[in-house]
Amino acid sequence: MTTPLEPIADIGGAAQPLLDVKGLTKHFPIGGGLFAEKKIVRAVDDVSFQVGKGETVGIVGESGCGKSTTARLLMHLMERNSGEILFDGQLVGATFSLRELRRGMQMVFQDSYASLNPRLTIEDSIAFGPKVHGISDKAARELARDLLTKVGLRPEVFANRYPHEVSGGQRQRVNIARALALKPRLVILDEAVSALDKSVEAQVLNLLTDLKRDLGLTYLFISHDLNVVRYISDRVLVMYLGQVVELGPVDAVYDGPAHPYTRALLAAMPAMDPDERTMTPPISGDPPNPIDPPSGCRFHTRCPFAEEVCSKVVPALSPVDESGHLAACHQVIPGSGHSRAPVLEAA
């Protein structure tokens, strides 16, 4: 059994993904009764992706697209309906226990204040997890103070303070230190910088970059801020209505978005240059009801390029080029039946 003082060992080597998600699905039942029909909200619907060791994968999309639900499913904070989660090749819940998962994967939440126990000092909050996993009180407190130093907070000043006595940026640094206390290999950051002002946000992003380099971390970075995602990510995953619609290297996706939804998201990014500001909405209408999503491609009701095939056939994630850039759009699938699709080459 892995000792609490050591990181969980690397089993499969650099070529094996640290996180491998297959068919992850979460449906929330709502309504129902004596006469009413029971319905379900399709929050996450058959999501699959991989996160390589040492990389940062960003997840973007509109509010309600399933980003945070996916994070909570990965952390087992809620029960999934179906799908498999493999951590370094080991099936979570079978060959890899939830206790080991809690050590190998940690999460930093958006609300820095609600994430901390107001009755515990900062030092106690950071030391709590290691003590649960068997480290002595003295060693846990030493670790907490060391981590405070790593995240840029002087232990002699901040260790005995309570969460309400520090600023939002400092609290988020505390949350990052607490997440690192069990020496995880993967850290999920769910809108971890979105509540901070821009100057503090930049400091925290630089801190995350330094920690990744120094500690060999892997990040899953969830955000609605596309500029932040491009700055910190190696690859980006775009979600729409509970499904993955585009995935690929961050520069490939940002410079050549293949899915109309991704193009609309990028077109909506604010620009400082008045000549480049968007004057017309890049996307119209509200997202469809996740209780009764559209058939075929779920984006076809808002897509300017929608054709008959889009409403009838669900597009699979398909290669856009040889860089690993994938998109779930009939326009990139050869022979899909869409007028803009590439011609299917003869065998």
Side-chain angles (χ1 to χ4, degrees), residues 24-27 40-47 62 64-66 239-245 259 261 283 286-303 306 309-315 328-330:
L24 192 63
T25 300
K26 179 62 179 179
H27 295 165
I40 58 170
V41 175
R42 300 176 181 272
V44 175
D45 223 359
D46 195 23
V47 167
E62 290 175 298
C65 70
M239 290 188 69
Y240 180 76
L241 213 62
Q243 294 183 331
V244 179
V245 296
H259 198 283
Y261 175 63
I283 186 172
D286 295 322
N289 192 334
I291 297 174
D292 187 21
S295 59
C297 174
R298 294 186 176 180
F299 187 63
H300 84 264
T301 56
R302 306 168 74 190
C303 180
V309 65
C310 301
S311 62
K312 292 183 177 180
V313 181
V314 179
C329 179
H330 289 295

Side-chain angles (χ1 to χ4, degrees), residues 326-341:
L326 307 172
C329 179
H330 289 295
Q331 294 181 83
V332 304
I333 303 175
S336 67
H338 195 286
S339 62
R340 291 171 171 258

Side-chain angles (χ1 to χ4, degrees), residues 167-218:
S167 69
Q170 291 166 343
R171 277 197 300 269
Q172 203 61 298
R173 288 171 182 262
V174 172
N175 280 308
I176 293 169
R178 188 181 61 169
L180 298 177
L182 296 177
K183 299 187 178 180
R185 297 175 61 193
L186 173 67
V187 179
I188 300 174
L189 300 134
D190 185 10
E191 302 281 8
V193 298
S194 62
L196 308 176
D197 64 59
K198 285 301 173 184
S199 61
V200 178
E201 178 185 89
Q203 294 171 15
V204 174
L205 288 173
N206 289 333
L207 169 67
L208 291 171
T209 303
D210 292 342
L211 290 171
K212 177 187 174 184
R213 180 193 63 235
D214 297 341
L215 303 178
L217 297 172
T218 301

